[in-house]
Structures are given as C-alpha cells and as structure tokens.
Amino acid sequence: MSEDMFLKLLQSLLTMVDPEDPLSVASFQNVLNSVLAMGEKAKAVDGETRMLMMRAAKYPEDLIYNRKDFAGKPGDYKGNQAKRNRLYQALMPSC
C-alpha cells in the first residue's frame, strides 16, 4: 500500500466515523489496526507508510477529535487533497 492510498483510506474512514457512536469509533480503530497488521505481515508497505499507519493506529482519538480538519467532501478534489496534506502533517510533523 502506498502512502497516498493509505491517506485516502484514512480520510475516507474519518469521513464515515461517528464520534458519538462507540461502535463506530471501535470499528475505526479496528480497521486501522487491521490494515497495519496486514501491511506488516505481507511486507507490502514501505517504512514511511508503515510509520503513518502506526501513528494513526496509536492516536485514533486525536484523529477523530480533529476529523473536521481531515474529512473529505465528495467532488472537492482540491480541498480533499489539501486535507490529506494536513492529515499527513498531523501524523508526520516536520521541523
């Protein structure tokens, strides 16, 4: 899985998760953990993508809390890309 594909998946999940529903939040966390485990087992991710996955799985509550900054909108390609860039920066902050 590429970094871009993971960010698109994560953005989709953040768009769908309902922070008020414990089952929805648990499902979000389970998907993140499952994708990370699958990628590690298959050795199908590079180091940076693996780090993104690990950080997303470690801090799901933070992502959900800030989901409005990252969630996509259908048809808003430029806006969604900008939000994925913010999502990347939230997970992999640089100096």
Side-chain angles (χ1 to χ4, degrees):
M1 174 177 273
S2 71
E3 183 180 290
D4 186 56
M5 287 178 66
F6 177 69
L7 288 170
K8 286 179 179 179
L9 171 65
L10 184 55
Q11 184 178 50
S12 296
L13 294 171
L14 286 167
T15 302
M16 293 185 288
V17 69
D18 178 359
E20 304 299 320
D21 181 3
L23 181 58
S24 180
V25 172
S27 296
F28 176 79
Q29 293 172 328
N30 287 336
V31 170
L32 290 179
N33 289 327
S34 295
V35 169
L36 174 60
M38 287 175 65
E40 288 179 335
K41 183 164 176 62
K43 298 184 183 353
V45 295
D46 61 40
E48 190 168 337
T49 304
R50 182 175 177 271
M51 185 64 69
L52 281 171
M53 291 175 166
M54 289 173 57
R55 289 186 179 176
K58 187 173 181 176
Y59 303 108
E61 298 88 5
D62 293 343
L63 294 172
I64 292 170
Y65 180 79
N66 294 300
R67 68 186 281 275
K68 290 182 181 176
D69 293 333
F70 309 127
K73 293 181 184 172
D76 184 10
Y77 302 107
K78 286 180 85 174
N80 291 341
Q81 180 61 51
K83 288 181 178 188
R84 281 193 300 277
N85 290 340
R86 283 196 294 269
L87 183 55
Y88 175 83
Q89 288 300 317
L91 293 171
M92 300 287 281
S94 58
C95 297

